[in-house]
mmCIF file of all heavy atoms in Angstrom:
data_model
loop_
_atom_site.group_PDB
_atom_site.id
_atom_site.type_symbol
_atom_site.label_atom_id
_atom_site.label_comp_id
_atom_site.label_asym_id
_atom_site.label_seq_id
_atom_site.Cartn_x
_atom_site.Cartn_y
_atom_site.Cartn_z
ATOM 1 N N ILE B 96 -21.322 46.394 0.387
ATOM 2 C CA ILE B 96 -20.586 45.138 0.625
ATOM 3 C C ILE B 96 -19.651 44.840 -0.543
ATOM 4 O O ILE B 96 -18.489 44.482 -0.349
ATOM 5 C CB ILE B 96 -21.566 43.963 0.858
ATOM 6 C CG1 ILE B 96 -22.330 44.174 2.169
ATOM 7 C CG2 ILE B 96 -20.815 42.632 0.880
ATOM 8 C CD1 ILE B 96 -23.400 43.132 2.441
ATOM 9 N N ASP B 97 -20.145 45.041 -1.742
ATOM 10 C CA ASP B 97 -19.287 44.831 -2.920
ATOM 11 C C ASP B 97 -18.086 45.758 -2.891
ATOM 12 O O ASP B 97 -16.965 45.375 -3.259
ATOM 13 C CB ASP B 97 -20.083 45.059 -4.213
ATOM 14 C CG ASP B 97 -21.030 43.904 -4.513
ATOM 15 O OD1 ASP B 97 -20.876 42.838 -3.879
ATOM 16 O OD2 ASP B 97 -21.917 44.070 -5.361
ATOM 17 N N ALA B 98 -18.318 46.998 -2.447
ATOM 18 C CA ALA B 98 -17.223 47.974 -2.403
ATOM 19 C C ALA B 98 -16.154 47.545 -1.404
ATOM 20 O O ALA B 98 -14.953 47.607 -1.688
ATOM 21 C CB ALA B 98 -17.775 49.351 -2.043
ATOM 22 N N VAL B 99 -16.597 47.099 -0.240
ATOM 23 C CA VAL B 99 -15.641 46.632 0.771
ATOM 24 C C VAL B 99 -14.886 45.408 0.254
ATOM 25 O O VAL B 99 -13.663 45.304 0.385
ATOM 26 C CB VAL B 99 -16.361 46.290 2.097
ATOM 27 C CG1 VAL B 99 -15.411 45.618 3.070
ATOM 28 C CG2 VAL B 99 -16.944 47.551 2.716
ATOM 29 N N ALA B 100 -15.626 44.489 -0.363
ATOM 30 C CA ALA B 100 -15.007 43.251 -0.857
ATOM 31 C C ALA B 100 -13.967 43.554 -1.928
ATOM 32 O O ALA B 100 -12.854 43.015 -1.918
ATOM 33 C CB ALA B 100 -16.086 42.317 -1.404
ATOM 34 N N SER B 101 -14.343 44.434 -2.827
ATOM 35 C CA SER B 101 -13.424 44.802 -3.909
ATOM 36 C C SER B 101 -12.183 45.489 -3.347
ATOM 37 O O SER B 101 -11.048 45.163 -3.716
ATOM 38 C CB SER B 101 -14.157 45.739 -4.880
ATOM 39 O OG SER B 101 -13.239 46.372 -5.739
ATOM 40 N N TYR B 102 -12.408 46.406 -2.430
ATOM 41 C CA TYR B 102 -11.283 47.155 -1.854
ATOM 42 C C TYR B 102 -10.328 46.234 -1.088
ATOM 43 O O TYR B 102 -9.108 46.233 -1.334
ATOM 44 C CB TYR B 102 -11.818 48.255 -0.930
ATOM 45 C CG TYR B 102 -10.737 48.862 -0.072
ATOM 46 C CD1 TYR B 102 -9.706 49.609 -0.646
ATOM 47 C CD2 TYR B 102 -10.717 48.650 1.311
ATOM 48 C CE1 TYR B 102 -8.686 50.137 0.133
ATOM 49 C CE2 TYR B 102 -9.708 49.174 2.088
ATOM 50 C CZ TYR B 102 -8.692 49.910 1.507
ATOM 51 O OH TYR B 102 -7.680 50.409 2.264
ATOM 52 N N VAL B 103 -10.877 45.441 -0.169
ATOM 53 C CA VAL B 103 -10.017 44.593 0.672
ATOM 54 C C VAL B 103 -9.236 43.600 -0.185
ATOM 55 O O VAL B 103 -8.030 43.406 0.003
ATOM 56 C CB VAL B 103 -10.852 43.851 1.743
ATOM 57 C CG1 VAL B 103 -10.007 42.798 2.454
ATOM 58 C CG2 VAL B 103 -11.430 44.839 2.743
ATOM 59 N N SER B 104 -9.926 42.985 -1.147
ATOM 60 C CA SER B 104 -9.222 41.987 -1.961
ATOM 61 C C SER B 104 -8.154 42.646 -2.830
ATOM 62 O O SER B 104 -7.088 42.070 -3.042
ATOM 63 C CB SER B 104 -10.210 41.199 -2.826
ATOM 64 O OG SER B 104 -10.874 42.059 -3.722
ATOM 65 N N SER B 105 -8.413 43.852 -3.299
ATOM 66 C CA SER B 105 -7.424 44.477 -4.184
ATOM 67 C C SER B 105 -6.188 44.943 -3.418
ATOM 68 O O SER B 105 -5.067 44.754 -3.879
ATOM 69 C CB SER B 105 -8.047 45.643 -4.961
ATOM 70 O OG SER B 105 -8.447 46.681 -4.088
ATOM 71 N N VAL B 106 -6.371 45.527 -2.243
ATOM 72 C CA VAL B 106 -5.190 46.056 -1.546
ATOM 73 C C VAL B 106 -4.446 44.990 -0.744
ATOM 74 O O VAL B 106 -3.243 45.105 -0.525
ATOM 75 C CB VAL B 106 -5.539 47.256 -0.625
ATOM 76 C CG1 VAL B 106 -6.122 48.388 -1.446
ATOM 77 C CG2 VAL B 106 -6.462 46.846 0.506
ATOM 78 N N SER B 107 -5.152 43.935 -0.319
ATOM 79 C CA SER B 107 -4.448 42.915 0.463
ATOM 80 C C SER B 107 -3.666 41.976 -0.426
ATOM 81 O O SER B 107 -2.780 41.270 0.025
ATOM 82 C CB SER B 107 -5.435 42.121 1.330
ATOM 83 O OG SER B 107 -6.283 41.351 0.523
ATOM 84 N N ARG B 108 -4.010 41.963 -1.703
ATOM 85 C CA ARG B 108 -3.352 41.015 -2.625
ATOM 86 C C ARG B 108 -2.204 41.652 -3.382
ATOM 87 O O ARG B 108 -1.680 41.080 -4.310
ATOM 88 C CB ARG B 108 -4.378 40.427 -3.584
ATOM 89 C CG ARG B 108 -5.385 39.576 -2.851
ATOM 90 C CD ARG B 108 -6.252 38.772 -3.774
ATOM 91 N NE ARG B 108 -6.718 37.599 -3.036
ATOM 92 C CZ ARG B 108 -6.870 36.389 -3.539
ATOM 93 N NH1 ARG B 108 -6.601 36.165 -4.788
ATOM 94 N NH2 ARG B 108 -7.282 35.386 -2.790
ATOM 95 N N HIS B 109 -1.845 42.867 -3.033
ATOM 96 C CA HIS B 109 -0.733 43.527 -3.718
ATOM 97 C C HIS B 109 0.575 42.803 -3.436
ATOM 98 O O HIS B 109 0.767 42.273 -2.371
ATOM 99 C CB HIS B 109 -0.616 44.982 -3.263
ATOM 100 C CG HIS B 109 -1.608 45.865 -3.966
ATOM 101 N ND1 HIS B 109 -1.907 47.138 -3.551
ATOM 102 C CD2 HIS B 109 -2.395 45.634 -5.033
ATOM 103 C CE1 HIS B 109 -2.823 47.663 -4.349
ATOM 104 N NE2 HIS B 109 -3.133 46.776 -5.254
#
Side-chain angles (χ1 to χ4, degrees):
Chain B
I96 293 175
D97 285 346
V99 172
S101 166
Y102 167 66
V103 170
S104 62
S105 64
V106 299
S107 67
R108 294 191 155 217
H109 280 166

